[in-house]
Every structure is written in structure tokens, then in C-alpha cells.
Amino acid sequence: MSDTGRMRIGAQLYTVRESCATLEGFAETLKRVADIGYTTVQVSGTCPYPAVWLKEQLRQNGLHCALTHIAPGRLTKETEEVVKEHEIFGCEYVGLGYHPFREEKYEEGYDYFIETYLPVAKRLKALGKYMMHHNHDQEFQYRNGRVILENLQEAFPPDCLGFTLDTFWVQAGGGDPAGWIERLKDRVPCIHLKDYAYGRKMAVIGEGNLDFERILKKAEEAHVRYLLVEQDDCNGEDPFACLRRSYQNLRAMGLE
């Protein structure tokens, strides 16, 4: 890879969520992640935390929080409070981790998503934050002749909603991760990196079958800022060991 230094490697803490079930464990996890070499994290899957506490823990470990995943109810009902908290610990991107897009159930369907989150995204923009939606494979269902992800791309103004594109889930949905990064240029400041191994298994970066040379090239061209390593399922391995190997492999690819 060439000139990839401006993209920063981060750890998605959902990978080590079992170690973040208490504030004590969360604090120790941040230290262990920093000791691996990560300087950026996404806060997701942890126990509840006071914003001031998180700010101090990040400071102590030389970490920056690039992105969160916030519960849907808080996003819709406590938008201003969520923004205030993000201001305290210095996080620009406010994320929604999952929506099922089950058309047969209104509150889980596409129309509900638009009606509910378009106002939220606009409010977050007005308050100086940027809403991010994290995809799974269901965004590659077809709706009116196009995949849902393409519909979302048009339904939300680019300055109101970005996409935390997940390389594994794009592949699982039948899409091309690098191609979708290219299609979503300037709307993917943060992406999730996880490798895809035979048997639909999540793998350490560089130990599966995804073409990361091409993915990283397209990420650079799409102005991605944060490459967040996530491995929801470590297949019985120590999640911290998986985070370490992914970090080392990405550094070997020329990233920081």
C-alpha cells in the first residue's frame, strides 16, 4: 500500500464486549487495547458509562473515541443528551448498530427506519454530529429493484447520514466490499474491517479470503478516516489475541 498513513486503525470494542461488562473491566480493556498499539476505539457493546469517566479513561490510555453505537431509544428520545455526552468525550460520529429491515413488521421495516431516523439524523447534524448506520447482510435485500443500502443512500442527504460499512457483512450479503466503499465515497468516514473465511466465519484481518489490498486502496480513495477492527466471533480464540494479530497485519500493510 502507498500513502495510507492518514487512515487510522481502531479497535471496535464489541470484539471484547465480555471484558467490558463492568466499569472496572472496561477500564482494563482500554488499557489492554492501548498496549497492543491502537490509538482509536469505537465504544460499542460495553456496560453503561458516565461520559466524564470515559473521557478520563481515554485520556489516561492515549486513546480517541471515533465512533459509538447508541441504543435506538436513546437516539430517538434523548438526542440532545447523547450529543452532550459525545461532546464530553470528544466523539464526532454517533452510530446506530443494527436495524433488521423486516418488511413484514412495520417497526422493523424500511419505511419505519426512514420515518424514525431521518429526523434524528437531521437533528444530530444541527447539533454538530454525524449519524452513522452500520450495515449487516440484510441491507442487501432488494426493495423496488434495488438493494436497501442503495435506497438508504438516496433517502438520506449525504451530510446527514454516513455508513459504517462492514466488510464481512457486505460479503455475506452478496456484495463487493471494495466496490461498495467506492460507491459510498465521502460517506464512509468509519468502516468496520473483519475478514471472511470459508464457512461464513469471521476471521482475523489477513487470515481470511477478502482482498484487503483492494479494500484499503478504495478506502483511501473514499476518504475513510478510521479503519475499525471488529470480530464479533473469534471462534474460540482470545479476542485480544485476535485484535493484536489484526493490528499487526494491518501495520504490515502500511497502516498506522
Side-chain angles (χ1 to χ4, degrees), residues 40-143:
T40 301
V41 294
Q42 176 182 344
V43 174
S44 172
T46 72
C47 63
Y49 50 87
V52 173
W53 177 90
L54 180 57
K55 175 183 178 180
E56 178 58 19
Q57 294 299 317
L58 293 169
R59 185 196 66 79
Q60 288 181 19
N61 291 288
L63 294 169
H64 165 64
C65 178
L67 172 66
T68 59
H69 278 168
I70 301 298
R74 293 209 66 210
L75 274 179
T76 57
K77 299 174 183 176
E78 303 173 23
T79 311
E80 283 75 11
E81 184 62 29
V82 167
V83 168
K84 289 177 183 176
E85 293 169 0
H86 282 63
E87 285 292 323
I88 289 171
F89 55 83
C91 182
E92 180 178 356
Y93 301 114
V94 182
L96 177 67
Y98 175 73
H99 186 80
F101 292 106
R102 296 190 183 100
E103 290 294 346
E104 68 275 12
K105 296 183 179 180
Y106 177 72
E107 291 189 358
E108 297 181 348
Y110 176 85
D111 292 334
Y112 176 85
F113 185 92
I114 303 299
E115 293 171 15
T116 302
Y117 292 110
L118 184 55
V120 173
K122 289 180 177 179
R123 183 61 181 150
L124 285 170
K125 178 195 172 187
L127 295 171
K129 300 299 176 186
Y130 192 48
M131 182 173 169
M132 299 286 292
H133 173 62
H134 170 244
N135 72 280
H136 290 77
D137 54 350
Q138 71 271 6
E139 280 83 356
F140 291 88
Q141 302 171 76
Y142 273 80
R143 183 180 189 276

Side-chain angles (χ1 to χ4, degrees), residues 215-226:
I215 287 170
L216 295 177
K217 180 178 184 295
K218 293 301 181 182
E220 182 182 358
E221 293 171 356
H223 306 135
V224 172
R225 297 176 64 191
Y226 300 107

